[in-house]
Amino acid sequence: MTVQVRVAGPEDRPVLLRFMAALQEYERALEANRTPGPEMAKPHLSHLEEEAAAHQGVMLIAEEEGKPLGFIAAMVDTDPGFFVAETERRFGYIADIYVEEAARGSGAGQALMAAAEAHFKALGLTQVRLFAVAGNKSAQRFYEKSGYGLYEVSLRKYL
């Protein structure tokens, strides 16, 4: 069996909502500040769809024999200000990626990343950025295995 990646359509909204809630619940186990998945899935998915539409983005679904395995939300972003060289300011941004636990290791994640990267290359972009929750070591290993390396480190202190 082969993993296929396609553009998500309106008919995919129920599965995207399920994936979004599951992603959030996974991250909630790692980071206490996360809103419950069922509560945030619909408004966050709507936000991602709006951002993708406004910023040359794409929502993709990985599937095997018609069964959805995961999704990725990707769009173009720009660094504000002038601290980054003008030629480097526009970049591809992976906002969210999720693969169902049973499908991890199937190649679905790699296929989604490759499709998003191809989308960005077609737009003439030369870099892709993403963020991972600090405690999500499996995501960090996946990203590193996919060729991503540290770019910025975000630190936090509660007051």
Side-chain angles (χ1 to χ4, degrees), residues 4-157:
Q4 302 292 321
V5 175
R6 62 175 175 77
V7 174
E11 69 281 0
D12 296 307
R13 202 148 214 288
V15 76
L16 289 171
L17 288 169
R18 182 170 57 83
F19 286 162
M20 183 62 64
L23 170 59
Q24 186 72 355
E25 288 302 305
Y26 183 84
E27 287 190 352
R28 240 177 114 213
L30 302 170
E31 178 55 59
N33 74 357
R34 297 298 194 250
T35 304
E39 185 179 320
M40 64 69 72
K42 189 173 183 179
H44 187 63
L45 181 59
S46 294
H47 168 74
L48 288 176
E49 290 167 335
E50 291 168 10
E51 288 294 304
H55 300 282
Q56 298 177 292
V58 65
M59 299 277 289
L60 303 170
I61 289 191
E63 60 186 12
E64 191 172 63
E65 294 185 352
K67 180 184 181 230
L69 305 175
F71 85 103
I72 196 167
M75 61 211 62
V76 176
D77 202 350
T78 306
D79 278 315
F82 299 92
F83 63 94
V84 173
E86 187 174 353
T87 57
E88 297 286 319
R89 287 186 200 144
R90 285 187 76 229
F91 56 92
Y93 174 61
I94 305 296
D96 283 300
I97 181 172
Y98 176 77
V99 173
E100 287 191 302
E101 189 172 346
R104 293 178 192 158
S106 70
Q110 289 93 346
L112 287 164
M113 292 294 278
E117 290 170 1
H119 173 75
F120 294 138
K121 280 183 186 178
L123 295 173
L125 300 176
T126 59
Q127 63 175 306
V128 180
R129 298 184 198 169
L130 50 79
F131 297 96
V133 172
N136 194 345
K137 300 302 181 194
S138 63
Q140 292 172 37
R141 282 190 301 273
F142 169 75
Y143 297 139
E144 289 170 0
K145 188 176 173 184
S146 298
Y148 290 77
L150 286 179
Y151 172 63
E152 293 179 325
V153 176
S154 176
L155 303 171
R156 167 181 70 189
K157 175 182 178 181

